[in-house]
Amino acid sequence: MPRPFVAYLRVYEPLSAFPDASRDRLRHLAEQSPVDRADVGVHEQMMWLKSQENDLAGLPGERADGSPLPVRDLMAVRDEAGELLVCPLDLRARAAAAVVGFLSTASDPLRRATLGGAEERLRAKAGTVLGELPGGAVHVVSTTWTVPLPWFVLVDQEERVVEGEDDTLTVYWLVPMRTARQRVQRAYELAEATFGESGPTKVLQDTSRWLAHFHESSLVELDYGGLVQLLGEDGVDEDTSAEDVNAILDAIEQPDPAEVAERFERLRDFWGDLAVRERMQ
């Protein structure tokens, strides 16, 4: 089964960031049954489909009566000191956020055809779930078919990790939270002065606010997820997106408009191929 064409930003927090009562369970899951990076897209897709078997208003990560299940789906990494950090997939809350987005943007005929008589019940449930979200933020945000260019300010090209091959090929970056916050703040200030409050500036502001919810000793991950299937090994080898985005920031500071234009052109050409594929689906 092809992996969903989804890319991710994730935050892995130390166990000390979680309530005392949940730490032993989180440690056990992280050590015994973490979700693998190459499998996470399909895992999340199957969890959503399973939640819809009996109830259109059901969400993944909850019991038949709608109450939340204990955390059981998470990813795990270790930092340079060997400390275990975990990223709960927060499937129930992320599904609720997706429902709110769908209900606010879809046309009336599409909502009726998709949800039937469950629309209002699902709307109410999604609002309740998001209102009860621990910490005020999910540990994972995702996007389909592309990577928002502002996300690349969080990473350097040299920090990229490429693992596996074919069906298990993965491309990702892991950076310390402090570094990620510093980088996004610098990018935000430059973008605000150059582009104003819209476009990339808004994405950077939202990203900065999201990162502020988590423990300062966390790790931040940018993961291409299933997009590597569209890029292929040749595309991965040719990809210099992180280098190009950070070169744009440097060129804005200098300033060097010609360099900015050249780098934007490279990014447009590279990611434009994926945009064409999406439109053809």
Side-chain angles (χ1 to χ4, degrees), residues 108-249:
D108 289 343
L110 179 58
R111 293 202 305 271
R112 288 195 297 269
T114 304
L115 301 175
E119 178 178 339
E120 291 307 315
R121 186 157 56 101
L122 191 51
R123 186 192 301 275
K125 173 186 282 190
T128 299
V129 170
L130 293 176
E132 297 172 347
L133 183 63
V138 293
H139 287 77
V140 184
V141 294
S142 60
T143 182
T144 56
W145 287 96
T146 190
V147 178
L149 295 182
W151 286 7
F152 287 107
V153 307
L154 300 170
V155 300
D156 281 340
Q157 187 74 24
E158 294 76 16
E159 297 165 339
R160 188 178 75 160
V161 179
V162 180
E163 295 179 339
E165 58 184 5
D166 299 328
D167 292 343
T168 64
L169 180 65
T170 58
V171 176
Y172 65 95
W173 289 259
L174 274 172
V175 299
M177 176 62 77
R178 293 184 184 90
T179 300
R181 287 174 175 167
Q182 291 169 357
R183 288 172 174 173
V184 77
Q185 181 61 31
R186 176 210 176 205
Y188 170 74
E189 292 173 358
L190 288 170
E192 184 182 34
T194 306
F195 306 113
E197 292 292 339
S198 60
T201 309
K202 182 64 166 60
V203 177
L204 291 167
Q205 183 180 53
D206 290 345
T207 302
S208 179
R209 290 173 176 171
W210 176 65
L211 294 176
H213 284 90
F214 302 104
H215 194 283
E216 63 178 6
S217 296
S218 302
L219 290 175
V220 181
E221 179 177 69
L222 169 56
D223 177 12
Y224 275 14
L227 295 187
V228 294
Q229 300 165 119
L230 300 176
L231 297 176
E233 292 186 9
D234 290 342
V236 170
D237 291 341
E238 296 168 3
D239 176 28
T240 58
S241 298
E243 175 187 325
D244 293 332
V245 168
N246 285 287
I248 288 172
L249 295 179

Side-chain angles (χ1 to χ4, degrees), residues 1-2 20 55-56 80 94 103 105 109 112-113 125 129 137-138 170 173 213 215 240 247 255 267 278:
M1 171 186 288
D20 292 348
D55 184 2
L56 282 176
E80 292 183 353
R94 288 168 58 205
L103 291 175
T105 58
R112 288 195 297 269
K125 173 186 282 190
V129 170
V138 293
T170 58
W173 289 259
H213 284 90
H215 194 283
T240 58
L267 289 163
E278 180 182 12

Side-chain angles (χ1 to χ4, degrees), residues 15-17 32 127 148 225:
L15 293 173
S16 60
Q32 301 298 322

